[in-house]
Amino acid sequence: MSKTVVKNRRSKPVASKGKSKPDAKLAKLARRLSESVLPGDAPFQGEAVNEAAEFLLKVAAQRAKNRSAMSMASVSEKRRFLRIAIINDDMPFLVDSIAATIAEHGIAIDRLVHPVINVRRSNSGKLTRLGHSADEQRESMIYIETPRIDARERRELEGALRATLGDVRAAVNDWPALQARMIEDSGRTTSPENAQLLRWLNDGMLTQLGHLTRTRDGSHSDLLGICRKSARQILAEASYDRAFELFEKDDSRDLIVIKANRISNVHRLVPLDLFIIPIRNRARVTALSIHAGVWTSAALASPPHEVPRLRVALQSLTDSLGFRPGGHASKALVHALTTLPHDLLIGLDLDSIARVSTTMMSLVDRPRPRIVMIEGPLARHIFAFVWFPRDLMATQVRLQIANMLAENTGTEILDWSLEVEGGNLAMLRFVLDIREARSKFDEAALETRLEDMLRGWGEAVERHLAEQEDPSRAAAIAARYAGAFPPAYRTNYGPAEAAVDILRLRALSQDEAQHRDARLYHLESDPPENLRMKIYQQQGAMPLSDVVPALENFGFRVLTEMPTALEEGKLGTVHDFKLELSPGESAGPILERASAIEAAIASVFNGRAEDDPFNRLVLGVGLSAEQADWLRAFYRYLRQTGMGFTIYTVVDALRGAPSVTRALIDLFVARHDPDFSGNRDEAAANATAALKRGLSHVAAINDDRLLRLYRALIKAILRTNAFAPAGIEALAFKIDSALVPNLPKPVPWREIFVYSRRVEGIHLRSGPVARGGLRWSDRRDDFRTEILGLMKAQRVKNAVIVPTGAKGGFYPKQLPSPAMDREGAAAEGQAGYEIFIRTLLSVTDNIAGGQGVH
């Protein structure tokens, strides 16, 4: 007699024992699997169904009472997939809960078959009979095939499925007790409408999943359903406290309806709906009775006039808005309340329901982008309702809107849903957890961004340009620039930011003297110690090696950089930097002075100002770029006189005593600004007093010496062009040399120091009437020493001609390498000489003729 074989999942022949006919259980289970395939699914037969039946039968062979049996196995032959078998007592919500759990893990279900079979088991749980009389125990035998996943994902999926099965069993077993408790709590409510709502939900409109009673002391009792294992996960402590507070403040309040942060594992993966009823002992609320569940599809689709509480809101709105029953407006209101999610509206106050419903009424006939943000009870959630024309609906649009809402730091999206009108309106609804949100939502700003998001890019950019530029020119500007922004920029920044960037780039193209610009800004999601900066390049791009050291000299630490080139840099490049501030600094005060700081940074990048540590005084002390330049020029002069402190030591001293540094500036301004308003002598005296007070708090000896040296130099300055147009090209300071401490001998009668980024120089005079020439020096750091010696020689040489001598010298600071460009070096030297002469003349008269004004 031939033997019949059945292949197991490893496709190895296994001979059946006993008679020649196939195993009866296996054949019967295979037949039931094949018959249980839903219409429209691929047939399940032949070798595939036999192997599935064998796998399922092995899992079903042993199952403890009131427990599930589960197994997973990877298959590699013919095709690669994962088998899942789940054996459980037949009960509601099994298949949809299991399928939802698998989908939540991002795993597709290729096949799902669910026969319900009568079985008989021994006391130990061993399967003895399969598919016989109807009075036997009914079991759900669920067979699933999915793509293969790795071992870690399998462990996570198995844990999630076991949690789901436990919740389903707990909810089903406690269903009668849950219903009884709901009826009992409906009797606690003093509001007939709230009592009706609880009874309406109890009549099949709520999938009741759990219950607990929470007392004042934090203990739990009356645990039913899913709350038996997860009572403390239903609500946070702060939410319990807030609920007690609301019920005590308002004796008439007898029901709060909210969303939980916990997602239901049963029936649908949505946030649990919670119904909180106070338990009062006379006037005191002693406990909270809390029901957890999920609205059924029938409840969500019910007409608003059939839903308790919602029907009262409908009637109140109809009356307050003056709508005629049966009229167009009244029908539109009914339509809005029918379409809007009942599970959210039922927990809102009348004003919030009115706001959402009337907004939707206005959009049905004229669809357009709108956002309404409603805060839920207990200040835990924001419900965001987002409408827009149906034709614009796409997954990418939904993700962009979700990302926009989640930008508020500390906000988490718990749930979303989509409703598409029969007409031309789509509505997205989001539930946002705002308990950790750093700031409140700006609904108007979000709506503007939504409009930009849904418009065409060019049209949105043009609209924002028109708000800042002549509207008649906005279209042409947008046509030139908008299309040049790459997709990544459009997603990350949006059209409003693009309009700002376009106007900055256009300003550069129209200014021959400036080819770079800077702009500071700060995002709400950024920590206070971080700042962002955009640097605009007229054409091409800036090397990071040029930018990073310059920004560090301002006191920034560069964290990231994102360049955006428009038409490969032909229309310019936008470099976006994320910066970290120095310890103790925050973005707020810096942004208040953004214009001055931006100007200082732009001056450096455009080559009009030095790139050195003195720029740190702009941020650290609050100076303007011009004021920092004065202090830089003073330092350059003092270095020429023999002061040995480095630039870092000097800047640290100035930055470490901001009150002294500002007083030095005040003293300089009071003595020399021709447009100074007020009493000049009084202002100078006040600045001197402030200097004295500030110096008394300087502990470091070197810092004290430096700051006093600065004070003495400022008092020694007789004249300057710092407040005249000539000072833009180069600064000049006419100094009474005798008032400057520790000058090397011989001490001139007067000297003029010239400073600019391009050239430095000095002119020394031995007396009021003196004669001497000018010299191109090659000694950058001590040309004053060289010129002092020449002045001394000139004084002896001219003794028989004029009473005394004079000498001047300059050093061009931007010479090209002579070995490579002699003509360029000569031209730069000539230009430096001319700047030096012009600047000298701005503070004295006729140097060459010796008739200096003192």
Side-chain angles (χ1 to χ4, degrees):
M1 182 179 295
S2 63
K3 295 182 179 180
T4 302
V5 299
V6 178
K7 293 183 178 180
N8 65 6
R9 71 175 188 270
R10 295 180 180 177
S11 298
K12 293 182 179 179
V14 178
S16 61
K17 297 179 180 180
K19 300 179 180 180
S20 60
K21 62 180 181 180
D23 184 281
K25 293 179 185 176
L26 190 60
K28 186 173 294 186
L29 183 55
R31 185 174 63 254
R32 291 298 302 273
L33 281 171
S34 183
E35 293 171 350
S36 299
V37 175
L38 295 175
D41 284 353
F44 197 25
Q45 55 194 11
E47 183 180 359
V49 73
N50 288 334
E51 291 180 355
E54 182 181 4
F55 176 63
L56 199 59
L57 193 60
K58 287 182 178 179
V59 178
Q62 185 72 41
R63 182 175 75 86
K65 186 177 182 180
N66 295 326
R67 298 293 299 272
S68 301
M70 182 190 311
S71 182
M72 298 181 185
S74 294
V75 181
S76 301
E77 298 179 3
K78 295 184 180 179
R79 66 185 183 93
R80 296 165 57 87
F81 64 96
L82 176 70
R83 282 193 176 117
I84 304 174
I86 300 174
I87 315 299
N88 195 79
D89 296 322
D90 182 36
M91 57 183 62
F93 313 129
L94 273 177
V95 175
D96 48 5
S97 301
I98 289 170
T101 300
I102 294 174
E104 180 69 10
H105 283 70
I107 303 170
I109 296 177
D110 298 329
R111 184 187 296 278
L112 191 156
V113 187
H114 174 221
V116 178
I117 302 177
N118 299 323
V119 303
R120 180 173 295 175
R121 293 185 180 274
S122 66
N123 291 336
S124 64
K126 182 179 180 180
L127 180 65
T128 58
R129 290 176 56 173
L130 185 71
H132 286 274
S133 60
D135 60 345
E136 292 177 335
Q137 179 179 337
R138 289 169 58 83
E139 290 189 358
S140 290
M141 296 192 175
I142 303 174
Y143 175 79
I144 300 170
E145 293 180 2
T146 75
R148 288 186 61 169
I149 56 178
D150 62 32
R152 179 184 59 81
E153 291 174 310
R154 283 174 57 178
R155 289 193 297 270
E156 292 177 354
L157 177 60
E158 182 175 356
L161 287 172
R162 292 196 182 280
T164 295
L165 292 169
D167 281 354
V168 170
R169 183 177 297 278
V172 171
N173 288 346
D174 283 349
W175 188 277
L178 288 169
Q179 288 196 306
R181 191 58 196 240
M182 181 76 86
I183 291 297
E184 179 184 348
D185 280 338
S186 70
R188 297 182 189 277
T189 59
T190 57
S191 164
E193 199 66 15
N194 286 340
Q196 284 290 331
L197 174 64
L198 295 178
R199 287 193 288 270
W200 181 79
L201 292 169
N202 204 48
D203 290 338
M205 295 301 180
L206 183 73
T207 302
Q208 297 187 54
L209 302 178
H211 172 270
L212 65 88
T213 299
R214 162 75 180 218
T215 58
R216 277 281 188 179
D217 61 7
S219 62
H220 298 85
S221 60
D222 302 326
L223 303 178
L224 298 173
I226 64 172
C227 294
R228 290 185 182 274
K229 291 186 177 180
S230 53
R232 296 184 183 277
Q233 299 176 20
I234 293 295
L235 274 179
E237 293 297 323
S239 297
Y240 283 123
D241 294 340
R242 177 66 174 151
F244 275 111
E245 181 183 350
L246 288 179
F247 284 128
E248 288 195 336
K249 283 185 177 180
D250 185 359
D251 292 342
S252 64
R253 185 190 291 267
D254 56 13
L255 176 64
I256 294 175
V257 184
I258 62 171
K259 290 283 184 181
N261 280 26
R262 174 172 173 174
I263 303 298
S264 167
N265 288 329
V266 182
H267 192 36
R268 300 200 313 274
L269 287 178
V270 295
L272 288 168
D273 293 283
L274 302 183
F275 302 84
I276 307 175
I277 300 98
I279 299 175
R280 288 187 165 94
N281 184 0
R282 298 179 182 176
R284 178 174 171 77
V285 179
T286 58
L288 303 174
S289 181
I290 303 175
H291 296 264
V294 176
W295 284 57
T296 65
S297 56
L300 292 172
S302 297
H305 63 269
E306 293 182 2
V307 182
R309 279 185 42 147
L310 197 55
R311 63 193 178 193
V312 173
L314 172 61
Q315 187 60 52
S316 297
L317 289 176
T318 301
D319 296 342
S320 63
L321 296 172
F323 293 161
R324 181 176 58 83
H328 174 75
S330 178
K331 291 180 179 178
L333 177 61
V334 171
H335 174 72
L337 291 178
T338 301
T339 304
L340 290 165
H342 297 351
D343 56 329
L344 294 187
L345 294 186
I346 206 74
L348 303 181
D349 57 43
L350 185 60
D351 289 341
S352 297
I353 295 175
R355 188 159 165 253
V356 177
S357 57
T358 54
T359 299
M360 185 168 180
M361 287 173 60
S362 69
L363 300 173
V364 171
D365 296 326
R366 190 166 65 90
R368 57 197 185 278
R370 287 294 307 273
I371 285 184
V372 171
M373 313 283 286
I374 301 292
E375 185 174 293
L378 304 188
R380 303 170 67 250
H381 297 140
I382 286 282
F383 304 131
F385 298 87
V386 184
W387 294 272
F388 49 87
R390 183 181 64 179
D391 291 344
L392 299 178
M393 182 59 214
T395 299
Q396 185 61 31
V397 170
R398 192 257 302 171
L399 292 175
Q400 287 178 338
I401 295 172
N403 290 337
M404 178 180 71
L405 295 173
E407 284 177 3
N408 190 349
T409 303
T411 300
E412 179 185 359
I413 295 180
L414 298 178
D415 187 40
W416 68 274
S417 65
L418 170 66
E419 181 75 29
V420 179
E421 277 289 290
N424 192 32
L425 185 66
M427 179 185 73
L428 280 169
R429 183 266 297 162
F430 295 90
V431 180
L432 311 175
D433 183 356
I434 59 168
R435 291 174 300 168
E436 304 295 329
R438 182 173 294 179
S439 59
K440 292 188 176 182
F441 286 93
D442 186 337
E443 187 175 304
L446 288 173
E447 189 163 289
T448 298
R449 291 181 60 185
L450 177 67
E451 291 175 356
D452 292 341
M453 190 184 301
L454 299 177
R455 291 174 182 266
W457 171 258
E459 181 184 349
V461 172
E462 178 184 340
R463 183 170 71 89
H464 285 285
L465 284 171
E467 295 172 356
Q468 306 173 62
E469 179 65 78
D470 183 355
S472 63
R473 304 174 59 190
I477 298 172
R480 179 72 181 95
Y481 283 90
F485 287 93
Y489 178 98
R490 302 182 190 192
T491 300
N492 294 331
Y493 295 94
E497 185 71 7
V500 175
D501 290 345
I502 288 171
L503 294 178
R504 290 280 186 144
L505 288 171
R506 283 193 78 246
L508 290 179
S509 67
Q510 297 170 352
D511 187 350
E512 296 181 358
Q514 181 159 313
H515 59 281
R516 291 168 177 170
D517 195 9
R519 177 168 70 90
L520 293 168
Y521 69 104
H522 186 262
L523 299 179
E524 287 187 2
S525 58
D526 290 338
E529 66 272 13
N530 284 358
L531 196 63
R532 294 180 186 261
M533 177 187 297
K534 285 192 175 182
I535 297 175
Y536 302 92
Q537 172 84 10
Q538 185 179 357
Q539 285 190 343
M542 293 182 66
L544 277 177
S545 57
D546 290 349
V547 180
V548 173
L551 294 179
E552 289 178 344
N553 274 335
F554 274 92
F556 297 118
R557 179 169 176 259
V558 177
L559 301 178
T560 62
E561 186 259 353
M562 179 66 69
T564 301
L566 306 186
E567 289 189 2
E568 298 181 348
K570 296 176 183 177
L571 288 178
T573 301
V574 181
H575 297 268
D576 191 6
F577 292 88
K578 184 176 182 181
L579 308 173
E580 184 178 65
L581 303 176
S582 299
E585 292 183 341
S586 61
I590 292 176
L591 289 174
E592 292 176 1
R593 303 179 50 248
S595 297
I597 297 171
E598 291 166 2
I601 294 170
S603 293
V604 171
F605 287 136
N606 285 300
R608 296 195 301 266
E610 295 269 19
D611 177 14
D612 65 23
F614 271 92
N615 291 324
R616 296 179 188 175
L617 302 178
V618 175
L619 262 68
V621 183
L623 303 186
S624 67
E626 183 183 39
Q627 292 167 343
D629 215 28
W630 299 341
L631 297 176
R632 179 185 290 112
F634 297 160
Y635 164 75
R636 297 292 191 194
Y637 169 76
L638 291 172
R639 284 285 289 179
Q640 291 293 331
T641 67
M643 181 189 73
F645 296 111
T646 67
I647 190 171
Y648 299 100
T649 303
V650 173
V651 170
D652 287 345
L654 292 167
R655 193 177 180 189
S659 61
V660 174
T661 303
R662 285 190 287 266
L664 290 171
I665 295 297
D666 292 343
L667 179 62
F668 182 71
V669 170
R671 288 169 59 88
H672 297 288
D673 186 356
D675 296 326
F676 186 83
S677 60
N679 189 310
R680 190 182 299 274
D681 293 337
E682 182 180 349
N686 290 338
T688 300
L691 275 168
K692 185 177 181 180
R693 289 193 301 271
L695 288 169
S696 67
H697 294 95
V698 175
I701 295 176
N702 284 342
D703 289 359
D704 183 80
R705 289 174 57 196
L706 281 168
L707 296 171
R708 292 180 186 275
L709 191 55
Y710 260 83
R711 180 181 64 178
L713 175 58
I714 290 173
K715 289 185 175 183
I717 294 173
L718 302 174
R719 184 180 298 175
T720 181
N721 69 348
F723 301 95
I728 297 174
E729 182 178 45
L731 291 170
F733 306 97
K734 185 173 182 180
I735 302 168
D736 185 344
S737 305
L739 299 180
V740 180
N742 305 320
L743 283 183
K745 307 293 184 186
V747 176
W749 174 72
R750 297 286 188 268
E751 56 189 286
I752 299 173
F753 178 70
V754 172
Y755 164 80
S756 76
R757 191 175 187 274
R758 196 170 179 183
V759 64
E760 290 182 20
I762 200 158
H763 189 268
L764 306 177
R765 299 170 64 84
S766 297
V769 179
R771 179 178 180 274
L774 301 178
R775 178 181 180 82
W776 178 344
S777 176
D778 60 359
R779 296 166 61 172
R780 175 173 185 146
D781 295 323
D782 66 341
F783 57 77
R784 185 183 184 279
T785 301
E786 177 188 15
I787 303 304
L788 183 64
L790 294 173
M791 181 203 75
K792 181 179 178 181
Q794 191 73 34
R795 182 173 60 179
V796 173
K797 178 181 177 181
N798 292 339
V800 297
I801 306 173
V802 294
T804 191
K807 197 67 176 180
F810 65 97
Y811 177 83
K813 297 161 64 177
Q814 297 184 359
L815 293 175
S817 174
M820 298 176 62
D821 187 1
R822 292 182 178 275
E823 292 184 2
E828 181 61 26
Q830 176 69 24
Y833 169 75
E834 294 174 1
I835 293 171
F836 182 54
I837 292 296
R838 284 195 298 269
T839 307
L840 286 176
L841 292 174
S842 68
V843 292
T844 190
D845 293 334
N846 196 13
I847 291 292
Q851 303 298 314
V853 176
H854 51 90

